[in-house]
Amino acid sequence: MADIKFYGTRGSYSLTSEKYMEFGGATSCILIKFNTANIMIDCGSGATNAIDDLCDEKELHLFITHSHIDHIDGIVSLLPAFRNRTIHVYSKTFNDVPVRECFNRITSKSLWPIKADAYDNVIFHEIDDEMVLNGIRISNMDSNHPEGCSLFRFQSEEDDIVTAFDFSHLNGYEEKLLSFARGTKVLIYDGYFREDELEEKGSWGHSTPEAGCRIGKRLGVEQLYITHYGVFDDDYLSRWERRLQEEYPFVIFARSGLHKSELLKLVDIGSLLNAEKDNDSLLYKIVDASMDITNADGGTIYLLENNQLEFKVMINRSKKTELLRKDEPLDIPAVSLSGKNICAVSAREKKLLSIKDCYHDERYDFSGVRKYDELNRYHTKSVLAVPLVDDHEDLIGVLQLLNSKDNAGHVVPFRKQDESIILSIANQAAMSIVKASYSEKIDDLLYGFVKVMSMGIDERTPYNASHTKNMVYFAENFFTYENRNNGPFAVDNNKKREILISIWLHDIGKILTPLEIMNKDNRLGSLLQDVEARFDRRDLLLRLEKANGLLSEEEYLKKQEERSQQLNFIHLANLVGLLSPESKKRLDELAKMTYRELNGSLLPVITNDEHYLLSIVKGTLSKEERAVMESHVVMTQRLLSQLQFPKNYENIPAYAGNHHEFLDGSGYPNHLMANDLPWPCRMITIFDIYEALTAKDRPYKKSINSQNAFAILKEMARDGKLDSEIIDEFEKSGAYRQ
C-alpha cells in the first residue's frame, strides 16, 4: 500500500506561531510513496520539511496542481537539495504561463540567486488528461479555482488516491468530482473555509471539511484527509475534527510531518479514548497509547487536583512496572505547580517541553527522576512533558514520557514529529478526561437522584420502606459474587449500574397509587370505624331495651355476649392472613343477621360492602383495590417511557417495567412470555418476590425464612413462571443474607 505523508497542510501562506504546531504551518506539499515511484503533489513551503526524507531517493516525480505561490515556493529549497538527482515536474499550463516559467519567475535574480533553469536535473512535462507512470495510472480534472488548477487521481493495483485541494464544491463541481473520483479509496480534500464563510467567499475556489465529508460519504471512501487549512489554530482544528468524526469516522485532519499510518494511529487512539467510559482505564490507555506511538519506555500521567499535580498512572516497560492510583493514594508525592519540576513548568506555561538528556540539563529539577533511577536501577535520559489542556484552556494535567527508543533499542531524544503526535494525543486525551469526568459525575448524580427518589416513594408507606433498598442490596451482593467467580451473570460496571437503576425505579409507578390502598393493613380499611360505631350503638340500644324493661337481665347478658363475640370475630377476620373456609361460612351467616333500631326497623349487622371486604381470602386488598395496586407497573412503564435514556441505560424501562411478568405469560400487565424477558427482568422479578416473602414489615402477612422462600421460588420455577438458573445462583451466592 502507498504511504502518504503531509509536509505542508496550509493554504495561502505559512504560519509560524506555536498555536499551529500540531497541524503545521507550512503550505501545500504531500508525498505519496508507491512501490514504483515517489510522487510529490505541490511544493509549497512544506517541501523543505520533505528534504531529509528524500535524501536516499534517486528520482522524484513532482505534480503541480497550479502555480499560485503557496504551491510552488518550496522549489527554492527543493532544487538545490536534489542536485545531481532527477526531478520530473508535471503540470498543465494555465493562462498561457507554463510552470517552468513560474519557477523561473520566483528564482529571478531580484528574488533568488540561482534560476530554476540552472538545474539541468529538472525535466518538465506538460500533461494531458491521462498518463501512465511506472504502472501508475494518473488522470486529472480541472478545478474551478481562480486561474485554473488540477485535481489528480493516482491508481495502482493496490491504491486509488484522489487529491482535491484548491477546489470548490459549488456551482455543480461536487457532481463533477463525484464522477471523476467514483470508486476511489482515498480522498485528500480542501478544508480552507468554515461553512459560514462560503456565502461571502464562495468565488475563492475553496471548500469546507463538511463538504469533503459529505462527498467522501457519497463516494464510499475508506479514508478522507482534510488539508489546505485557512488560519485556524490547533485547538480549533482539533475540536472541528472531533465534531466531524462523530458522524464521519473516516475523516482525518492532516498533520504536517505525519505519515498516513501515524494519522491512522491518531484516529485509532481517538476512537479508543472516546469509547472508554471508565476514568481509570482511560488514563491507563492514554499513557499506553502515547508510549506506543513515540516508542517510549516509560510514561506517567498527573491530573490537577487541589492546585497540584497528583500521580495517577505510571508504566515502565523495561522494568515491567505498572502503578495505578485509584481510591487509595500511593507513596508518590504530588508535584507542586510552583516548583522547577519539568511537569510543573509544563503545566504552568501550558507548553510542551522536550529534554534530550535530563542528567545534563540544569533548567529543571530532575531530583525526583534521579531518586526513581537510584531506587529502581534505571537510567532516565530523554524526557517529554506535555500539558493536558481542555477547550477552555484550563489545565487538566500533564503527560510525561521517558526514554524514546530507536529501532535498535537505544535511548534517543524524542523526535520532532513525536511532538506533533503527542500534542494531538494530549488534546484528545484532555477532552476525553473531561468528558469521562463529566460523564462520571452526571452518572453519579443520576444514580443518586434515582436512589433518593425511590427511597422517597418507599417512605410514602411505613409498610414498604425497605423494599427497594433490600432488592438493591441483593443485586449488589449477587453481582459481587458473580464477578468474583466468573459466574453466568457476571456483568461490567455499566451493565451493573443499568440493572441497579432499574431496581431503584421498578416501583416508581407507586407514586400515583393512593395511600389508602398503599397503606391498607386490614381488610376493612376505613370501614372498620363504621363497624365499630355500629356495634357501640348496638350496645346503647341493648342498654335502653333493658332499662325500658324490654329485656330481662339474662336476655340482656346473652345479647351482649353475642354482640361481643361478633365484633371479636370481625376484628379477627379483618386481620387474619388467610381466611379459612370455616371463617368464610361464619361471615356469610353474620351477613344475614340483623339488629333492631329505635324505630323498630331491622338493619344488617354488617353491610354488603363490609361482608365483601371481610371475605377477601388472602391479603387485605379487594379485587378492585388490587387492580389499582397492580396498575403501578403500568404507570412505571408509562413514566419511564417519557424519558430519553442514554444508550448505556436504554433497557431500564423494560427491566423496571416487567418485574411482575412470568415466563409462562401468566404475569401482568402485558402477559409476556419467556422470549420477551431478558435475564435482568427475570432476576428483578425473583428478587422482588423473595423480598416480599421474607419482609418483616408487611401487615397483611407473616414473614417466612429464606429456606421456605426459596422453596416457594423453586416451586414457581417448576410451574414455569420463574428462571430456575437465576434462583439457584441467587441461593448459592448468599446475596440475600443481611
Side-chain angles (χ1 to χ4, degrees), residues 297-508:
D297 187 49
T300 306
I301 198 166
Y302 299 88
L303 294 189
L304 183 65
E305 295 177 0
N306 302 318
N307 206 34
Q308 57 185 1
L309 296 173
E310 291 283 356
F311 161 82
K312 293 295 181 181
V313 176
M314 177 188 290
I315 302 173
N316 190 301
R317 288 177 176 166
S318 62
K319 303 300 289 187
K320 298 181 180 178
T321 302
E322 292 185 356
L323 296 176
L324 286 79
R325 174 187 167 179
K326 293 194 175 182
D327 298 326
E328 294 298 324
L330 298 169
D331 189 21
I332 298 177
V335 176
S336 170
L337 287 181
S338 61
K340 289 182 64 179
N341 179 293
I342 189 172
C343 290
V345 177
S346 176
R348 280 200 311 272
E349 298 182 1
K350 297 179 183 176
K351 181 179 179 181
L352 179 145
L353 300 174
S354 182
I355 307 301
K356 294 181 179 180
D357 189 341
C358 64
Y359 278 83
H360 294 87
D361 194 302
E362 301 299 327
R363 292 173 295 171
Y364 308 105
D365 177 11
F366 288 106
S367 58
V369 170
R370 288 168 181 154
K371 182 178 179 181
Y372 173 84
D373 287 356
E374 184 179 346
L375 291 173
N376 295 279
R377 296 182 180 179
Y378 191 71
H379 183 75
T380 303
K381 190 173 182 181
S382 55
V383 180
L384 190 67
V386 193
L388 306 176
V389 181
D390 68 10
D391 280 352
H392 303 290
E393 289 297 312
D394 291 330
L395 181 72
I396 303 300
V398 175
L399 171 66
Q400 179 178 262
L401 300 173
L402 307 176
N403 286 2
S404 178
K405 293 185 176 182
D406 61 18
N407 293 334
H410 301 126
V411 175
V412 294
F414 286 90
R415 302 170 301 168
K416 199 69 179 176
Q417 67 196 65
D418 288 337
E419 297 179 11
S420 298
I421 297 172
I422 288 301
L423 279 172
S424 180
I425 293 176
N427 197 300
Q428 295 180 63
M431 297 304 105
S432 297
I433 291 169
V434 170
K435 181 180 175 182
S437 177
Y438 283 165
S439 177
E440 198 172 82
K441 288 176 182 176
I442 291 171
D443 212 36
D444 289 343
L445 179 63
L446 171 64
Y447 189 78
F449 177 76
V450 165
K451 178 179 176 181
V452 168
M453 185 170 63
S454 174
M455 292 173 68
I457 293 169
D458 277 358
E459 289 291 341
R460 291 184 73 219
T461 167
Y463 308 121
N464 205 30
S466 299
H467 172 62
T468 303
K469 188 164 58 175
N470 288 341
M471 288 176 62
V472 171
Y473 175 83
F474 300 158
E476 288 179 331
N477 290 345
F478 181 70
F479 288 134
T480 298
Y481 173 86
E482 291 296 294
N483 289 347
R484 185 174 59 238
N485 294 282
N486 196 26
F489 304 104
V491 292
D492 59 24
N493 287 333
N494 186 74
K495 192 66 178 179
K496 174 182 173 182
R497 180 155 284 199
E498 182 184 41
I499 295 172
L500 292 180
I501 291 176
S502 301
I503 295 174
W504 282 116
L505 291 174
H506 82 287
D507 275 345
I508 190 176

Side-chain angles (χ1 to χ4, degrees), residues 630-635 637 657-662 665-672:
E630 290 179 352
S631 71
H632 82 275
V633 185
V634 176
M635 293 313 303
Q637 293 178 344
N658 293 321
H659 66 279
H660 282 298
E661 299 285 356
F662 292 143
S666 63
Y668 64 88
N670 298 315
H671 306 290
L672 300 179

Side-chain angles (χ1 to χ4, degrees), residues 180-316:
F180 174 69
R182 185 172 292 113
T184 191
K185 297 179 181 178
V186 177
L187 175 64
I188 304 174
Y189 193 82
D190 186 296
Y192 193 82
F193 285 138
R194 297 190 309 266
E195 288 282 293
D196 61 347
E197 295 177 297
L198 276 181
E199 184 175 348
E200 179 184 352
K201 302 173 181 178
S203 63
W204 288 24
H206 292 292
S207 192
T208 67
E210 285 80 4
C213 288
R214 183 180 65 249
I215 292 169
K217 184 175 182 179
R218 292 182 69 185
L219 287 170
V221 299
E222 296 175 3
Q223 205 66 60
L224 167 68
Y225 297 99
I226 301 298
T227 187
H228 205 271
Y229 313 116
V231 187
F232 304 111
D233 63 22
D234 291 340
D235 180 61
Y236 193 93
L237 290 175
S238 292
R239 285 186 280 114
W240 202 350
E241 179 184 47
R242 286 196 302 275
R243 187 172 68 251
L244 289 179
Q245 283 176 344
E246 290 179 2
E247 185 175 357
Y248 305 100
F250 55 80
V251 65
I252 301 175
F253 280 36
R255 275 93 167 157
S256 181
L258 297 193
H259 290 274
K260 174 182 73 173
S261 59
E262 292 167 323
L263 288 168
L264 290 174
K265 279 185 182 179
L266 285 180
V267 173
D268 291 342
I269 290 170
S271 300
L272 183 75
L273 299 185
N274 285 329
E276 184 55 66
K277 305 301 181 185
D278 181 76
N279 212 28
D280 293 325
S281 297
L282 172 64
L283 296 177
Y284 179 89
K285 287 179 178 179
I286 289 170
V287 178
D288 191 54
S290 300
M291 291 171 62
D292 278 345
I293 208 163
T294 60
N295 205 26
D297 187 49
T300 306
I301 198 166
Y302 299 88
L303 294 189
L304 183 65
E305 295 177 0
N306 302 318
N307 206 34
Q308 57 185 1
L309 296 173
E310 291 283 356
F311 161 82
K312 293 295 181 181
V313 176
M314 177 188 290
I315 302 173
N316 190 301

